[in-house]
Amino acid sequence: MSPYGVITFDGPAASGKSSVAQRIAAALDLPVVSSGLLYRAATLIAEGAQIDLDDEEAVMARLRRHDVELEPVHDGNRVRLDGADVTETLHTDEVDGSVSAVARHPRVRSWVSEHLRRVAPPFVIDGRDMGTVVFPEASDKFYLTASPEVRAKRRVGERAADLERVAHAIRRRDALDAHQLVPANDAQRIDTDPLTLDEVVALVLEALRARRASSVGAPTAGPTTDHAEEC
Ligand code: CDP
Ligand code: CDP
């Protein structure tokens, strides 16, 4: 039996959640689930229907017409909309710009949470409120942070876009997502500003091992670096 249940990674845009979640899942041979993709799929559906994104009932009426599936694959997730793979269309500037407006509707949030709770543990998942609202009973919770400047540089590296514009979009999304961006009390917080992806992954793996070692009576490992702290 796996010693893991649900391992959550929450944090703001470009803090490294999905990359770290993928690497941890690969290291532990677990599936990985990206909750943001479902919010992005809901946004794609609403944008395609050209409805008012602030109209929760109109958005929900559209979502009910479609079948959305999130399929964990070896290096991430594929999203199918009525059977068609739409994964590659979910990370556009257009979806980035509208997703927070769609994600703030309580019934959209319930729609996403219901999809996620159908996945059988163990798995690794990333999002904003995975450790607080969707899986409060998760076995291991991490909250990744980084300054808006560092996060903007990371995104520019990925999309070859203009730094100022990306930094502005990230700050705007932080503000709109603020309600969901509250760390769980029992999450381990990691400031990733000075850390490479490899260093964050090493820190998380060490924390997971230390917790399991201490739960079977072995000596508890102390904090591995100054960058990790309980929230
Ligand atoms: O990778 P990035 O953090 O940029 O985005 P994402 O995780 O794909 O999430 C896209 C958007 O979905 C976020 O900006 C939030 O508005 C919303 N979201 C949310 O509200 N709650 C989650 N658990 C995950 C995403
Ligand atoms: O999922 P989220 O939006 O939080 O971030 P991500 O998509 O995993 O990471 C955004 C980019 O930052 C990716 O290209 C990562 O490789 C990079 N990254 C980094 O350079 N250093 C880190 N410590 C974490 C992520």
Side-chain angles (χ1 to χ4, degrees):
M1 200 178 115
S2 171
Y4 302 100
V6 177
I7 303 176
T8 62
F9 289 92
D10 289 315
S15 55
K17 305 176 298 293
S18 58
S19 313
V20 174
Q22 271 174 32
R23 300 268 296 266
I24 296 298
L28 302 178
D29 198 21
L30 297 176
V32 64
V33 179
S34 169
S35 63
L37 289 178
L38 288 173
Y39 287 102
R40 290 174 180 276
T43 305
L44 190 74
I45 291 170
E47 279 180 338
Q50 296 184 318
I51 51 172
D52 177 4
L53 301 183
D54 292 330
D55 183 343
E56 182 174 20
E57 184 43 48
V59 173
M60 285 312 299
R62 282 287 155 176
L63 292 188
R64 283 192 285 267
R65 285 190 194 190
H66 296 279
D67 180 37
V68 176
E69 284 174 285
L70 186 70
E71 184 198 353
V73 290
H74 74 283
D75 60 348
N77 291 171
R78 305 308 294 179
V79 176
R80 276 180 229 294
L81 172 57
D82 300 325
D85 190 331
V86 294
T87 319
E88 301 308 324
T89 63
L90 297 177
H91 284 93
T92 61
D93 286 350
E94 210 176 3
V95 172
D96 271 17
S98 306
V99 64
S100 300
V102 173
R104 79 185 170 83
H105 297 308
R107 281 187 287 160
V108 173
R109 303 202 70 77
S110 300
W111 178 87
V112 169
S113 299
E114 279 163 26
H115 275 78
L116 298 174
R117 290 191 185 117
R118 284 184 212 140
V119 184
F123 56 84
V124 180
I125 189 161
D126 80 89
R128 299 289 188 289
D129 56 351
M130 295 301 101
T132 48
V133 176
V134 186
F135 299 107
E137 74 297 348
S139 60
D140 302 271
K141 303 180 186 181
F142 297 89
Y143 191 89
L144 306 186
T145 62
S147 66
E149 293 71 27
V150 167
R151 289 185 285 130
K153 280 191 190 133
R154 290 177 184 167
R155 273 284 187 265
V156 167
E158 277 180 330
R159 296 189 190 177
D162 171 62
L163 183 61
E164 268 313 302
R165 191 171 58 75
V166 173
H168 175 77
I170 278 185
R171 283 204 183 83
R172 177 177 171 272
R173 205 138 60 90
D174 282 356
L176 293 170
D177 291 340
H179 186 67
Q180 283 90 253
L181 276 171
V182 180
N185 288 332
D186 51 349
Q188 182 167 335
R189 188 178 182 129
I190 302 176
D191 171 12
T192 71
D193 259 3
L195 302 175
T196 64
L197 194 52
D198 284 346
E199 287 168 335
V200 181
V201 169
L203 204 56
V204 169
L205 285 174
E206 179 53 32
L208 290 168
R209 285 194 194 109
R211 202 164 303 156
R212 268 141 197 89
S214 68
S215 73
V216 293
T220 309
T224 44
T225 80
D226 291 336
H227 304 299
E229 60 184 46
E230 287 288 319
C231 289

